[in-house]
Amino acid sequence: MKEINGKMKLTEEEISRYIDEANDILKNAYVPYSKFPVAALLIDEQGRKFRGVNVENASYGLGICAERNVIPTAVTEGMKKIKLLVVTGGTPEPISPCGACRQVISEFSDKDTVIILTNKDKKYKIWSINELLPYSFGPDDL
Ligand code: THU
């Protein structure tokens, strides 16, 4: 049993299962241009599960990252806070979310949000949003 960020407790089995679920949807990523699939599995404060992949476009700049795909989907269904986010890709090391995604993740995260960055080999590291985006700009700055 792993106690993460002082709150959420996850067993190695649960972590492994969530990583499998994220890796399972990599095949649905629409990546004809970059050939770089990314997948995100999100669990909200109500324990509901949402999935997203990156979806690219012939007009390259319109492509959307997996993380910024899953978050609006969850918000549409009423998500208030991210409890757990698993992000995976075909990288040799656990994937590193882009800066834009870190900012969007941050909007719906707090100190208890668990972020698991992983890859196809299930190599993973667990992060808090403050570690991924220190000294961030957020709703309290307005
Ligand atoms: N990508 C994501 O989906 N998430 C990230 O955090 C990093 C990058 C996608 C965008 C693009 O479809 C592909 O990976 C290559 O940049």
Side-chain angles (χ1 to χ4, degrees):
M1 184 76 78
K2 270 200 174 159
E3 189 159 321
I4 302 153
N5 304 348
K7 265 247 171 109
M8 190 180 190
K9 290 190 176 70
L10 286 171
T11 63
E12 282 298 341
E13 291 69 32
E14 284 169 322
I15 292 170
S16 171
R17 187 158 40 79
Y18 287 138
I19 291 174
D20 282 341
E21 281 186 49
N23 276 327
D24 279 348
I25 55 169
L26 277 175
K27 60 180 182 304
N28 297 335
Y30 180 73
V31 289
Y33 310 106
S34 73
K35 316 257 191 266
F36 187 86
V38 181
L41 177 83
L42 186 156
I43 297 179
D44 75 0
E45 80 291 347
Q46 300 172 54
R48 299 176 307 172
K49 215 179 271 178
F50 300 93
R51 297 168 183 82
V53 293
N54 51 338
V55 179
E56 298 181 346
N57 194 278
S59 177
Y60 297 159
L62 300 183
I64 182 88
C65 291
E67 303 91 315
R68 277 179 295 137
N69 217 356
V70 72
I71 290 172
T73 302
V75 171
T76 302
E77 299 302 326
M79 188 261 289
K80 301 287 179 256
K81 198 62 74 182
I82 302 170
K83 191 166 158 193
L84 173 72
L85 182 68
V86 181
V87 188
T88 188
T91 41
E93 293 299 315
I95 193 164
S96 175
C98 78
C101 286
R102 290 176 198 223
Q103 180 69 25
V104 174
I105 295 165
S106 163
E107 185 77 20
F108 299 98
S109 296
D110 62 19
K111 62 177 178 27
D112 299 322
T113 298
V114 175
I115 302 166
I116 301 178
L117 303 180
T118 186
N119 64 7
K120 281 182 182 164
D121 302 327
K122 302 182 70 173
K123 191 169 179 180
Y124 75 89
K125 187 167 182 313
I126 298 177
W127 301 81
S128 68
I129 189 60
N130 192 48
E131 290 170 322
L132 291 179
L133 193 68
Y135 195 59
S136 63
F137 179 79
D140 294 343
D141 296 305
L142 294 170

